[in-house]
Amino acid sequence: MNKNDFLDMVKTTEKNQLGLDFDGVIHKNSKGFHNGTIYDEPLDGALSSIKILNETFGYDLVIYTCKANPERPLVNGKTGIELVWDWLDKYGVKDNIKDVTYIKPNAVAYVDDKGITFKNWNDCIRDIEAMND
């Protein structure tokens, strides 16, 4: 792929794609890593919001999660990506998701429970300091 083709691909995906964190945004994740399984239920409103974002607003939804890291050990013989897809299928939203990855995707916006909205560095440093209070 040449530079112009790459730039065109990024522009196209960025304007129609949302990046969604999995744990703490879609999956409750109340026990943290626990035993490596995806054990919890969806967060309230997560499933209906996924359908609205995809079906009503037309966004391509890409889930990014540490569970998809290829270095992560298998759980019950499955990769983290397979576990996430199984969970999405169980809750009826598999067809609303374009991809599951551990790499932050090109996107118009990201929905992440651990994100800090960047306005400027002074506010960013203040927000990070506040996390430690």
Side-chain angles (χ1 to χ4, degrees):
M1 178 179 291
N2 68 40
K3 178 182 172 186
N4 289 333
D5 290 340
F6 177 78
L7 292 173
D8 288 343
M9 182 272 302
V10 170
K11 284 181 191 175
T12 301
T13 57
E14 281 185 348
K15 71 179 180 183
N16 195 45
Q17 192 158 270
L18 288 176
L20 305 177
D21 184 21
F22 185 68
D23 289 316
V25 173
I26 299 170
H27 170 252
K28 282 185 183 176
N29 200 43
S30 63
K31 300 177 193 174
F33 181 82
H34 185 52
N35 59 5
T37 62
I38 302 176
Y39 52 82
D40 237 338
E41 298 177 353
L43 278 156
D44 291 341
L47 303 178
S48 60
S49 295
I50 285 170
K51 290 180 180 185
I52 290 168
L53 291 170
N54 177 244
E55 296 171 10
T56 304
F57 296 146
Y59 283 107
D60 291 330
L61 304 177
V62 176
I63 293 174
Y64 59 97
T65 176
C66 291
K67 285 179 172 40
N69 189 322
E71 306 245 345
R72 184 180 190 267
L74 297 178
V75 176
N76 300 324
K78 292 188 175 189
T79 67
I81 291 176
E82 291 170 320
L83 293 171
V84 171
W85 280 116
D86 288 350
W87 189 93
L88 294 167
D89 189 36
K90 174 182 176 180
Y91 287 101
V93 292
K94 181 179 179 179
D95 292 340
N96 298 101
I97 303 299
K98 178 181 176 185
D99 197 11
V100 176
T101 182
Y102 79 105
I103 299 169
K104 188 175 180 181
N106 294 325
V108 66
Y110 304 94
V111 180
D112 193 320
D113 59 316
K114 294 183 180 178
I116 293 175
T117 300
F118 183 82
K119 298 173 195 127
N120 60 64
W121 279 109
N122 288 332
D123 289 348
C124 181
I125 295 297
R126 184 199 66 228
D127 291 346
I128 292 171
E129 284 176 331
M131 293 184 330
N132 299 314
D133 290 345

